Amino acid sequence: MIELKINHTKYEINIDPDTPLLWVLRENLNLIGTKFGCGIAQCGACTVHLDGSPIRSCILPVKAAIGKNITTIEGISSSNKLHPVQQAWIDEQVPQCGYCQSGQIMSAVALLNKKTSPTNNEIDIAMRGNICRCGAYPRIKKGIHRASKNLAKSAFKKEEDNK
């Protein structure tokens, strides 16, 4: 049995430890927001967070995730409220076909967790491993900037509320 902590919930799974994390998420736990794209860690559709860092779940053996905190697209929001990046994606109408977007959002969330006000160059660097066949890159960048502003506003509001 392998014990995993995913989206703040513990799961015990009887599975081959070399199984890619992506397949455990999708096939065993029905967390299907994480997508299969290329299977060789090149497209970013399968991006999840492992202890807060974005990783490609299609090549990570599940045994490498034991004892770590895994966050999927299903786990980034709380209290039935969208994460600011998800809301910015809607507000800016970022997706076209949408297939890559869960991976794009996970990479954007990881970036904004480290750098609350990223430059265009920092966004390009952080997002370079996420491929969008539709070419929605300008809207993705716009969505990240909008989420950054919204996060700054909510942080300011929290600070004011605490005074």
Side-chain angles (χ1 to χ4, degrees), residues 50-69:
L50 191 66
D51 285 341
S53 296
I55 59 103
R56 303 300 192 252
S57 64
C58 69
I59 63 163
L60 186 79
V62 72
K63 66 185 174 191
I66 296 170
K68 300 185 191 271
N69 292 311

Side-chain angles (χ1 to χ4, degrees), residues 37-38 43 96-101 104 130-137 140:
C38 65
C43 74
Q96 190 164 331
C97 86
Y99 194 82
C100 69
Q101 294 307 307
Q104 300 278 1
N130 291 81
I131 297 171
C132 174
R133 286 185 174 189
C134 301
Y137 300 113
I140 291 166

Side-chain angles (χ1 to χ4, degrees), residues 83-153:
H83 185 281
V85 173
Q86 292 170 307
Q87 187 61 56
W89 251 235
I90 292 167
D91 295 342
E92 294 296 337
Q93 299 179 11
V94 171
Q96 190 164 331
C97 86
Y99 194 82
C100 69
Q101 294 307 307
S102 60
Q104 300 278 1
I105 289 169
M106 294 304 288
S107 291
V109 168
L111 167 64
L112 292 173
N113 284 343
K114 289 181 182 171
K115 182 80 174 178
T116 56
S117 226
T119 64
N120 282 335
N121 188 53
E122 290 167 328
I123 292 170
D124 290 341
I125 290 168
M127 302 300 290
R128 70 175 170 235
N130 291 81
I131 297 171
C132 174
R133 286 185 174 189
C134 301
Y137 300 113
R139 292 194 311 258
I140 291 166
K141 191 176 290 184
K142 196 172 178 185
I144 292 170
H145 283 300
R146 184 178 193 128
S148 172
K149 288 176 189 165
N150 290 344
L151 284 165
K153 285 179 193 175

